[in-house]
Amino acid sequence: MTDAFTPEEREALYKAIFSRRDVRGQFTAEPVDDAVLTRILTAAHHAPSVGFMQPWNFIVVRDPGVKARIHADFTQANEEAASLFTGERQALYQRLKLEGIREAPVNLCITCDRERSGPVVLGRTHIPAMDLYSCVCAVQNLWLAARSEGLGVGWVSILHEDKLREALGIPERIVPIAYLCLGHVSHFHESPELAKAGWRQRLPLEELVFHDRWDNRA
């Protein structure tokens, strides 16, 4: 098999997976080189997609004014989210830094055009959401490629979709999938920040694997 990974290449892939982090507060002001950004976007564009429909678009945001609008909406949404928790959980939530919108040199919005391949798409005939899942695969490709380039990525999901559409001029038929912060970082944490903060720990794999049917751990 001529295209097999060498042990070193395989180890590099797992290193990117296991050292990937959701970055919020370690972004530096160093600009992201255009060639590096193109490589990362190319990796995202090579994600698997149902029916090879490639339903994604990538909105690259560098304008401080646009970032400020997104951050203002995050602030409002974050206050709303905090109110859903109570007691110590709410206090911990309010101490967490959950975005790097203004600090990151580049913001990216990945979207899904559900009409790109027409009304009938190979592989989407019975599970309509497969095009949305395809775009999430693009997010993962981008995240791992960025990590291999030494760049951090943070996914900001605490936003109002209508405000995001308005700020970025996204048409109604286009679905925003992910709003990401991207840039060089001072360091990567050894473990996920939410685990370090005591919000939640990684579940044991053996609790999540079933055999042949649901809940069969034999």
Side-chain angles (χ1 to χ4, degrees), residues 23-179:
V23 175
R24 287 84 174 261
Q26 303 99 258
F27 289 109
T28 71
E30 181 181 353
V32 176
D33 183 78
D34 285 343
V36 174
L37 180 58
T38 297
R39 286 200 297 269
I40 293 170
L41 292 174
T42 300
H45 184 44
H46 279 71
S49 62
V50 63
F52 201 41
M53 69 181 294
Q54 306 157 72
W56 42 70
N57 282 91
F58 308 98
I59 305 174
V60 179
V61 178
R62 290 192 175 97
D63 187 322
V66 177
K67 291 182 184 179
R69 289 186 65 180
I70 303 296
H71 184 268
D73 180 55
F74 165 82
T75 300
Q76 179 184 345
N78 197 45
E79 291 176 357
E80 295 167 357
S83 70
L84 301 176
F85 300 97
T86 59
E88 293 183 3
R89 202 66 168 169
Q90 184 182 79
L92 175 56
Y93 181 94
Q94 292 172 327
R95 292 195 298 270
L96 296 172
K97 180 172 175 54
L98 299 176
E99 53 78 34
I101 296 169
R102 293 175 299 182
E103 299 93 330
V106 175
N107 289 187
L108 286 167
C109 185
I110 298 181
T111 63
C112 182
D113 182 349
R114 310 198 72 184
E115 300 176 7
R116 179 154 294 166
S117 293
V120 181
V121 178
L122 186 156
R124 199 183 64 174
T125 53
H126 291 73
I127 306 179
M130 288 301 297
D131 53 352
L132 303 175
Y133 304 154
S134 297
C135 289
V136 176
C137 289
V139 175
Q140 181 77 344
N141 269 23
L142 183 144
W143 215 326
L144 294 177
R147 180 63 186 89
S148 75
E149 298 279 2
L151 299 177
V153 174
W155 189 330
V156 184
S157 59
I158 308 170
L159 296 168
H160 298 98
E161 185 175 305
D162 59 337
K163 297 289 183 63
L164 183 62
R165 288 179 180 278
E166 182 181 349
L168 299 180
I170 299 173
E172 188 63 32
R173 69 181 183 84
I174 302 298
V175 180
I177 299 297
Y179 192 85

